[in-house]
Amino acid sequence: MFDYFRASREPSAAVAKERLQIIVSHERAERNRPSYLPTLQKELLEVIRKYVHVDPADVQVSVDKNKECEILALNVVLPVPGPAQARRA
Amino acid sequence: MAKIIVITSGKGGVGKTTTSASLSMGLALQGYKTAVIDYDVGLRNLDLVMGCERRVVFDFVNVIQGEANLNQALIRDKRNDKLFILPASQTRDKNALTKEGVERVLEELQEDFDYVVCDSPAGIEHGALMAMYFADEAIVVTNPEVSLVRDSDRILGILASKSRRAELGLEPIREHLLLTRYSPQRVRNGEMLGVDDVKDILSISLLGVIPESQAVLAASNLGTPVILNEGSDAGHAYEDAVQRFLGEDLPHRFVDIPRKRLFGRLFGG
């Protein structure tokens, strides 16, 4: 047990800071997402699937904020044949 | 028109009530008429820390429900006649703090006071949300510990999205960080997050650093806000924090290891 703490040379406070920076920035991004995004993503996926067979993980919906406007980005990775294509709307 | 300040943190045991007691006493010492409200319905403790637990007759919920008027419920501090305490109810359901009721009490207080300090309960339940909702300024109290810092960030998110100012699209709540139970020695040893680490992560302005101090427990034992303990490091740190809150630009005194340890022990405590 004691050895376990000794094994890492890095001070524990530095580890704490790094872990916090990661989790806090992740949680901030989550809470800044509009609440309708998951439903929007699900419904878009249903529509797209009527025409093309895509994997749920290949449809990404995100909202980015610029200084002046917000951009809603839809990223669909279409399946093979042919090289995978990405389309943005 | 009084400014409304919420003292909040997320978790319990961080020093919200200690901070509420010392900040409100500090503002009163500066000549501002100040009311401090305990929002922790069912777990009232501000009265003990302020040393007025035996003078409680009516409480916050009595006023909201019209069973007492504000003047009957406010307890005037015996040490400073500019300071008034509005205790929480010990028996009622926390939902008795209705938004309309809280707003009415705050509006009445604002007419007559310079500052209204709201001591939030722990957590992000109804009582905590009510304490935050009407705030103009927020003091987020945290210790240099991972789970507390993370929760503080959650609280900042709530202040930015669920407060009255956010809902009405007004200027956002001014946020201040108060780091308590700080141990410069442990920071130097690399065992504790430092002031700059916490500031980097939360990116809000630093109101003060309160060192880990035996004086804090002693102050609660006696029912005297620690700011009144003029020989203590924590008392000085709170005095500085009050001055900074009022706009003074002071250096942070307790972030380095004290040099005159022996001298301090002999004469300061």
Side-chain angles (χ1 to χ4, degrees), chain B residues 46-58:
Chain B
L46 182 68
D47 55 338
L48 265 182
V49 176
M50 296 293 295
C52 64
E53 70 277 9
R54 296 183 61 185
R55 295 166 64 209
V56 176
V57 182
F58 295 111

Side-chain angles (χ1 to χ4, degrees), chain A residues 19-75:
Chain A
R19 291 174 59 218
L20 267 173
Q21 275 173 328
I22 293 165
I23 189 68
V24 165
S25 72
H26 179 76
E27 287 178 344
R28 277 185 196 161
E30 286 275 297
R31 74 172 174 245
N32 290 333
R33 275 162 56 119
S35 55
Y36 60 76
L37 266 192
T39 333
L40 177 69
Q41 179 158 350
K42 185 170 153 272
E43 288 179 11
L44 280 171
L45 181 69
E46 280 165 15
V47 174
I48 292 164
R49 276 186 147 176
K50 279 188 190 171
Y51 304 94
V52 204
H53 184 78
V54 288
D55 194 75
D58 289 337
V59 178
Q60 294 294 329
V61 183
S62 64
V63 175
D64 292 318
K65 272 184 194 165
N66 271 344
K67 274 177 194 163
E68 286 168 15
C69 61
E70 286 184 35
I71 299 168
L72 176 69
L74 169 65
N75 200 353

Side-chain angles (χ1 to χ4, degrees), chain B residues 198-254:
Chain B
V198 181
K199 263 172 71 183
D200 277 359
I201 291 159
L202 296 178
S203 50
I204 57 172
S205 76
L206 181 67
L207 184 68
V209 178
I210 313 297
E212 172 81 59
S213 167
Q214 298 182 354
V216 172
L217 183 61
S220 308
N221 288 344
L222 299 172
T224 310
V226 72
I227 196 169
L228 293 175
N229 183 344
E230 287 170 9
S232 72
D233 46 2
H236 287 299
Y238 273 115
E239 271 174 34
D240 287 2
V242 170
Q243 295 295 344
R244 278 189 211 103
F245 186 82
L246 294 171
E248 293 272 330
D249 187 15
L250 297 174
H252 291 277
R253 287 199 264 176
F254 302 98

